[in-house]
Amino acid sequence: MLRPRIIPCLLVHDKGLVKTEHFKNPRYLGDPMNAVRIFNEKEVDELIILDIDATAEGRGPDFKMIEHWAEECRMPLCYGGGVTTVEQAQRIFALGVEKIAFSAGAVNNPEIIREISEKVGSQSVVVVLDVKKKLFGGYEVYTHNGKKSTGKSPYELIKKFEQLGAGEIVINSIDKDGEMKGYDMKLIEAARKETTLPLTAIGGAGKMEDIGELINKFGIIGAAAGSLFVFKGKLKAVLINYPNFADKENLIKKYF
């Protein structure tokens, strides 16, 4: 039986683990490898690691860094950052990464989604759409850490990438990033109506009840979060955390 997935999302900047707010002011939290090891012990459902420097700096993936993560990681790993060619993707898969997340690479060259899904299967191809509210209503997709406007609606891109063979869509709210006040349910609901693909939401979770609310409303969904799994308390002390098996099962049973 398919179930909701609860997914930590780690951001890497200058090879360190960071957390942003509205995609700005990255706060250094430590060594990402330590976080991977802790999440191994906590048996998380899946892990997303995004190198937020790669595309912004106009460079490709750091394969050595990815190799270290893949060797250590004992849960399904999704990597994103700087992947623009089929050859890069194949090399990353060969390192043991289960999924690759495309953002600017897919928006700039949509055909890469078709090419890779035909070679490795759509289940390994994820498209991340970083979304911001427009001044006079609606939403728009941005790339390059929220700095570059695409002029495109997330809904038109969802349909396009589904047709091209994407296996999963991640909707990331720039407006909610780091606020820890709950997901943008309106955005996620509209995205859910556009596709039957697996959907993952990120941006805004501040407590496990926010994840419960997401699962209650959308059922089988990926509930991803950054701040929730790296901070503790009102003062945001750095603490890598994740619900234990019993707590996670109780949460899912309560809301799913």
Side-chain angles (χ1 to χ4, degrees):
M1 178 182 175
L2 293 175
R3 291 159 52 89
R5 294 165 294 139
I6 300 176
I7 309 166
C9 179
L10 302 180
L11 304 181
V12 176
H13 169 63
D14 289 339
K15 300 186 184 298
L17 177 64
V18 301
K19 187 65 197 79
T20 57
E21 187 165 343
H22 305 148
F23 281 33
K24 299 176 182 177
N25 305 319
R27 174 184 168 186
Y28 178 75
L29 305 178
D31 182 353
M33 189 64 80
N34 289 337
V36 171
R37 291 176 180 133
I38 294 170
F39 285 132
N40 277 340
E41 297 302 318
K42 294 184 178 297
E43 300 182 336
V44 308
D45 294 334
E46 184 177 326
L47 186 63
I48 299 172
I49 301 181
L50 303 177
D51 179 349
I52 63 174
D53 292 338
T55 296
E57 295 175 357
R59 63 166 173 80
D62 184 329
F63 296 106
K64 182 58 68 175
M65 191 163 61
I66 297 167
E67 182 179 17
H68 290 326
W69 296 333
E71 287 175 347
E72 189 69 34
C73 197
R74 297 203 299 264
M75 73 290 289
L77 174 61
C78 176
Y79 167 80
V83 184
T84 58
T85 69
V86 175
E87 291 73 24
Q88 289 171 334
Q90 289 177 315
R91 185 173 174 185
I92 292 170
F93 287 130
L95 294 175
V97 172
E98 282 80 7
K99 298 180 184 179
I100 296 178
F102 296 85
S103 181
V107 173
N108 295 334
N109 177 25
E111 279 300 314
I112 194 174
I113 300 302
R114 186 195 304 279
E115 293 171 11
I116 295 175
S117 65
E118 288 176 352
K119 287 183 181 295
V120 302
S122 61
Q123 75 282 348
S124 297
V125 182
V126 178
V127 174
V128 178
L129 300 178
D130 298 328
V131 181
K132 187 185 294 187
K133 288 181 181 178
K134 297 167 70 173
L135 186 59
F136 298 107
Y139 294 89
E140 185 176 349
V141 173
Y142 283 69
T143 61
H144 296 74
N145 297 335
K147 295 181 176 66
K148 188 173 181 179
S149 167
T150 67
K152 298 182 183 297
S153 136
Y155 314 125
E156 66 174 289
L157 290 180
I158 287 171
K159 291 178 180 177
K160 182 174 187 175
F161 289 123
E162 180 172 12
Q163 293 168 355
L164 287 169
E168 181 177 349
I169 302 292
V170 176
I171 293 290
N172 190 1
S173 171
I174 297 172
D175 302 295
K176 293 285 188 177
D177 174 54
E179 288 191 347
M180 302 185 74
K181 296 177 182 177
Y183 293 97
D184 185 335
M185 302 296 276
K186 180 181 177 182
L187 169 63
I188 300 162
E189 183 174 18
R192 178 73 285 172
K193 290 177 181 177
E194 297 296 338
T195 182
T196 58
L197 290 177
L199 183 68
T200 292
I202 185 169
K207 53 186 183 299
M208 290 307 298
E209 287 78 8
D210 292 330
I211 287 178
E213 181 184 0
L214 190 73
I215 292 171
N216 184 58
K217 187 170 181 64
F218 300 105
I220 300 170
I221 193 168
S227 298
L228 176 61
F229 298 128
V230 297
F231 293 137
K232 203 71 175 177
K234 293 181 179 179
L235 298 179
K236 293 187 176 180
V238 177
L239 178 66
I240 305 300
N241 67 96
Y242 187 82
N244 62 38
F245 179 81
D247 288 343
K248 185 171 67 174
E249 289 299 296
N250 289 336
L251 179 84
I252 291 174
K253 286 177 183 178
K254 179 178 179 181
Y255 291 101
F256 181 52

